[in-house]
Amino acid sequence: MRRYAFVWLLAALLAAAPAWTQAAPKDDTLVIAYRADTPTMDPHIESSAVSNMRNRWVIQTLMHKTPEGKLVTLVAKSYKWIDPKTLEFEIRPGIKFSNGEELDAHAVKYSIERVNDPELKSRQVDRMRVVAHKDAVQVVDKYRVRVHLAFPDAGFVNRMGNVGGLVAPKFYASKEPRFLASNQLGSGPYLLKKWERDTLAEYEANPLFWDPQYPKVRRVMVKIIPEEAARVAALVKGEVDVVFDVPPAMFDRINQSGKARVVSKPGIRIFRLGFFNKHGGLFDDKRVRQAVAHAIDRNTLLNSVLKGAAGEASHVLHPFNEGWVEPAKYASPYAFDPEKTKKLLAEAGHPNGIDVDFVVEVGQYMKVKEASEVVAGMLNKAGIRTKYVALNLQGYRNFFRKHRDKPQPDFKPYIFMHSFGGGSGDDDLQLGAIASCKGAWSGWCDKAFDASLDKASSTLGEEDRHQLFFGLAKKLTEEAIVVPLYRLNATFGLSNRVDWDPRVDERIMAWEIGLK
C-alpha cells in the first residue's frame, strides 16, 4: 500500500511541478539540484561540506584532492617542509583573480590570516589553530610563502585542499561583510553570476582560468529542491542533471525512466550517537554509555529502513582517513543485547531505566529521520526512555552550542545523533571536531585525549600516524564515547547526458563534470 502511495505522490509531482522546474536545461548548461543551500558565499566563514564544496567552484585552494582521493598540488606548484614546524609553498605563477589581481604569496598570506580575524567569527578557526601567531605566514618572495606552525602538524598540507580559500586581497579588504556574504570573487573555474538564497544560483566559466581543460561545461545552474521526491521528479523529467542523496526506494523510478541513472558508492559520512556530558551527569558513568551501545541492533537498522542506503561502521574514521580499518578487521565490541543494557543500567544505579532527551538534526541527509526514529524505538525498548527532539540544521547548531562551553541553568545531559563526513580526509579535523574538548560537535572533554590527538597529528611517519589515529578512534568506540551506527552511501542521480563518474568524497565539483 505504501508503494502505491509513493507512486501516486511522484506522479502528482511530475504533473504539477513548480514553475521553477519547468524549463529544460540548455545544451551548454549543467543543472544541479541540492537539498539545501550554503548559508554564505564568504569562503572563510562556514566549514560545512556544502559550503566547502560550493566555494571551490569559484575560490581555489593551495592543494586539491583528485576524484580518486589523492592529494595533489593546485595553486601551489610545490611544497616542502623546512623543519617539522615550517612549511613552504611555492605558488604557481601567472594565476589571476577574475578582477585582474594577481594570485601571489601576498594573496596567500592575506587569505590564511583572514580566517583568524576575530571579527570574522569564522567556523574555520579550529582548522587554522596550528598557525603559530598573527605574523606566522611569511612572504619569502613573490611566489613563495612560509607558514610557521605552533606545533608539528602533518595534516596541515591536506587541510589546505579543503579550507583556506584564496581570495583577492584588495577586493576582499575593500568590501563590507554583508556584501561578501552574497558575492564571491576568485581565481577558480567559474564566476558566480547570480544567487537567490535557498532558491537558485548561476555560474559561468571564468575566462581567466589558468587550466585549459576545465571547466568542462560553460554554465552551471544550482536549484534548491528540499523534497526528495521533487528532486527525483525534476531529474526524470529532464529538468535537472545531477541530484545527490537519492533514496533506494527511488532507484527503480530513475533507472527505468530512460532519461537518468543511479550511481551508488560507499560514502564517507559516519553517523553516530554521542553523549553530551561535558558538564557531568549520568553519562559520566561508562556503564550507562555501554548500556546505550548494547541497545542498538545495527543489523536491523541496516537491513530495514537503511537497506541499500548505508553500510557498517565500527569507528568514526572512513577510508580517506589515516587510521581507517575496515569493519571486517575491527568489529564493534558492543553486540545487540537489550538484557545487557538493563543489567548495566541497574549496576549504574538505574534499575528502572532512565529518561533522556534524544536530539537529532533532520532534513540535511538521506533517511536520518527514519533511522533516528528506529534508533529511538530500540532505546525505548531497552529501558532508555527518550524524548525525541528533531531539529533543522540551524536549530540543532543552536541547541548544541548553547551548553558547549559552559552549562546554562536548564542544562541536562542528553543523547544526540550526528554525522560527520570529513571529505578532506584530515584525521585531526575528524577526531578533533567530534571528540576534543573544543570540538564543534563534541559533547565530551578529556585533556589526555586531546594531548594524544596532538601527538598523532604531529607525528611525521605515515605508518606511525596510522597506528596512533586508529588507536584514538578505537578508544572512542571501546570507551563508548561515541556509538558508531552506519556509514551512509553516496547515491547520485545523473541524467543520461551527464559524462561523469562521481567522486569518492561525495563532493560535486562542477568543473569536473562534462555533458555528452
Side-chain angles (χ1 to χ4, degrees):
M1 192 70 179
R2 293 176 67 185
R3 178 181 176 86
Y4 292 126
F6 166 74
V7 172
W8 178 88
L9 173 61
L10 189 57
L13 285 164
L14 287 168
W20 49 257
T21 68
Q22 294 301 314
K26 297 178 181 179
D27 289 343
D28 61 350
T29 302
L30 174 73
V31 184
I32 302 171
Y34 285 102
R35 179 194 304 268
D37 206 352
T38 177
T40 178
M41 287 296 174
D42 190 320
H44 296 147
I45 298 291
E46 271 290 327
S47 62
S48 67
V50 67
S51 294
N52 289 337
M53 172 177 56
R54 290 273 296 280
N55 287 336
R56 295 290 308 284
W57 300 5
V58 175
I59 310 290
Q60 293 192 98
T61 49
L62 288 166
M63 306 296 292
H64 179 59
K65 283 287 185 71
T66 68
E68 298 75 31
K70 181 182 178 182
L71 183 68
V72 296
T73 56
L74 187 63
V75 169
K77 182 179 179 181
S78 63
Y79 68 91
K80 63 181 178 182
W81 288 97
I82 303 301
D83 59 54
K85 295 198 295 184
T86 307
L87 181 62
E88 181 176 288
F89 291 98
E90 182 180 0
I91 312 305
R92 194 182 299 273
I95 298 178
K96 291 186 179 296
F97 294 102
S98 59
N99 69 340
E101 287 186 58
E102 188 168 7
L103 202 171
D104 57 12
H106 291 281
V108 174
K109 174 180 171 65
Y110 174 82
S111 300
I112 293 176
E113 290 179 344
R114 185 172 184 264
V115 173
N116 286 325
D117 182 347
E119 294 186 5
L120 205 63
K121 297 180 181 179
S122 171
R123 294 194 178 101
Q124 298 177 19
V125 168
D126 283 350
R127 307 187 188 192
M128 293 291 193
R129 74 186 192 283
V130 69
V131 177
H133 49 78
K134 183 179 179 181
D135 298 316
V137 185
Q138 172 193 359
V139 173
V140 179
D141 57 36
K142 186 172 184 178
Y143 295 117
R144 284 189 299 152
V145 63
R146 287 185 180 177
V147 182
H148 298 277
L149 307 179
F151 52 86
D153 180 11
F156 188 80
V157 177
N158 183 80
R159 208 168 303 134
M160 291 299 95
N162 192 52
V163 294
L166 304 175
V167 299
K170 292 179 182 177
F171 179 86
Y172 273 76
S174 67
K175 302 298 182 184
E176 293 295 324
R178 179 174 294 184
F179 176 86
L180 295 172
S182 300
N183 297 272
Q184 283 187 330
L185 187 146
S187 61
Y190 286 108
L191 308 174
L192 176 65
K193 303 299 289 185
K194 180 180 181 180
W195 184 38
E196 296 178 8
R197 192 187 304 271
D198 297 325
T199 303
L200 62 87
E202 296 178 2
Y203 296 82
E204 189 171 293
N206 178 5
L208 297 181
F209 188 56
W210 56 272
D211 189 341
Q213 66 178 319
Y214 297 115
K216 293 187 176 182
V217 176
R218 184 179 174 187
R219 294 187 180 89
V220 177
M221 178 179 290
V222 170
K223 294 181 178 180
I224 305 303
I225 309 177
E227 299 81 14
E228 290 175 342
R231 288 197 301 278
V232 170
L235 178 68
V236 300
K237 287 191 71 176
E239 295 164 354
V240 304
D241 295 303
V242 179
V243 300
F244 181 52
D245 265 0
V246 178
M250 300 185 187
F251 285 6
D252 287 348
R253 173 62 185 169
I254 293 172
N255 288 329
Q256 294 171 10
S257 69
K259 293 186 177 181
R261 64 196 185 279
V262 173
V263 178
S264 181
K265 294 184 173 183
I268 58 171
R269 185 160 296 277
I270 310 296
F271 279 81
R272 73 193 189 284
L273 297 183
F275 307 93
F276 204 107
N277 63 322
K278 276 187 177 180
H279 313 304
L282 78 161
F283 295 121
D284 276 353
D285 192 322
K286 179 180 176 180
R287 293 169 296 184
V288 178
R289 303 194 304 269
Q290 290 176 318
V292 172
H294 279 299
I296 307 302
D297 184 350
R298 293 173 185 78
N299 289 333
T300 294
L301 188 62
L302 287 171
N303 293 319
S304 57
V305 67
L306 290 172
K307 189 172 184 179
E312 289 185 71
S314 56
H315 55 81
V316 294
L317 300 179
H318 58 67
F320 283 5
N321 293 122
E322 294 175 294
W324 182 73
V325 173
E326 58 188 298
K329 294 182 179 179
Y330 175 70
S332 169
Y334 295 105
F336 174 55
D337 190 343
E339 293 306 312
K340 186 71 174 289
T341 292
K342 295 173 183 177
K343 182 173 181 292
L344 284 165
L345 288 175
E347 290 175 358
H350 309 286
N352 298 318
I354 59 175
D355 294 276
V356 64
D357 287 352
F358 179 34
V359 184
V360 184
E361 186 270 311
V362 299
Q364 194 174 194
Y365 298 105
M366 175 174 60
K367 294 291 183 181
V368 176
K369 185 174 187 298
E370 296 88 340
S372 61
E373 288 173 345
V374 170
V375 168
M378 293 173 179
L379 295 173
N380 290 333
K381 286 182 181 178
I384 302 165
R385 296 175 294 275
T386 61
K387 176 185 176 183
Y388 184 80
V389 182
L391 302 170
N392 62 20
L393 178 58
Q394 191 57 52
Y396 185 85
R397 277 179 170 165
N398 293 341
F399 191 100
F400 203 91
R401 290 172 181 161
K402 182 177 181 180
H403 305 287
R404 189 170 65 188
D405 298 323
K406 60 181 181 180
Q408 301 303 311
D410 60 342
F411 171 75
K412 58 181 178 179
Y414 60 88
I415 302 173
F416 59 92
M417 181 170 165
H418 185 251
S419 72
F420 200 88
S424 68
D426 184 347
D427 291 62
D428 178 71
L429 165 64
Q430 188 99 353
L431 295 171
I434 67 175
S436 70
C437 291
K438 296 293 186 181
W441 301 111
S442 172
W444 179 64
C445 179
D446 180 351
K447 292 182 179 179
F449 178 89
D450 287 11
S452 296
L453 181 57
D454 286 343
K455 177 183 177 182
S457 301
S458 63
T459 299
L460 298 182
E462 290 186 11
E463 180 57 31
D464 290 338
R465 281 202 309 275
H466 170 85
Q467 294 299 332
L468 289 170
F469 282 130
F470 173 62
L472 291 171
K474 184 179 177 183
K475 174 183 175 67
L476 294 179
T477 294
E478 297 188 353
E479 293 293 313
I481 304 303
V482 300
V483 181
L485 297 174
Y486 58 88
R487 178 177 156 204
L488 192 67
N489 288 346
T491 55
F492 297 84
L494 307 179
S495 73
N496 288 343
R497 73 192 202 111
V498 169
D499 182 15
W500 180 54
D501 183 23
R503 297 172 58 92
V504 292
D505 60 5
E506 305 179 0
R507 297 184 176 184
I508 301 172
M509 299 303 194
W511 69 89
E512 298 173 342
I513 304 175
L515 294 175
K516 298 175 182 177

